[in-house]
Amino acid sequence: MPDPHKPSPWQWLWMHSAGLALGLYWLLLLAATHWPQSPDLSEIPGSDKTAHLTAYMLLAFLLARTLTGKGPLTLTTAVMVLAIVALYAAA
């Protein structure tokens, strides 16, 4: 008899989508920041700052979503996300 509390494969994928998206995005961000021939954004004023801000905001959002799951974002989690993203950005 199937367990009524066990999620279906689609429900499991939906529940873990933030973690999967975080992992894929973090790998993409790592590759993009270490790629030897990155696109030159210096021709557009402020584009480098905007690109970095957007990249790290998305990373912070996905990390917070993954850590909180279905629960609310607490101050402790927000500080932890900020610390993780700041340390990654500084590395």
Side-chain angles (χ1 to χ4, degrees), residues 13-47:
L13 183 63
W14 176 253
M15 290 186 318
H16 294 85
S17 62
L20 294 171
L22 173 65
L24 292 173
Y25 180 72
W26 212 327
L27 286 174
L28 176 71
L29 191 59
L30 181 68
T33 56
H34 290 84
W35 200 263
Q37 293 293 329
S38 59
D40 185 20
L41 298 174
S42 63
E43 297 174 9
I44 305 168
S47 62

Side-chain angles (χ1 to χ4, degrees), residues 60 63-64 67-68 72-85:
L63 185 58
L67 292 176
T68 59
L73 179 65
T74 63
L75 181 60
T76 304
T77 305
V79 169
M80 189 168 49
V81 166
L82 181 62
I84 291 169
V85 172

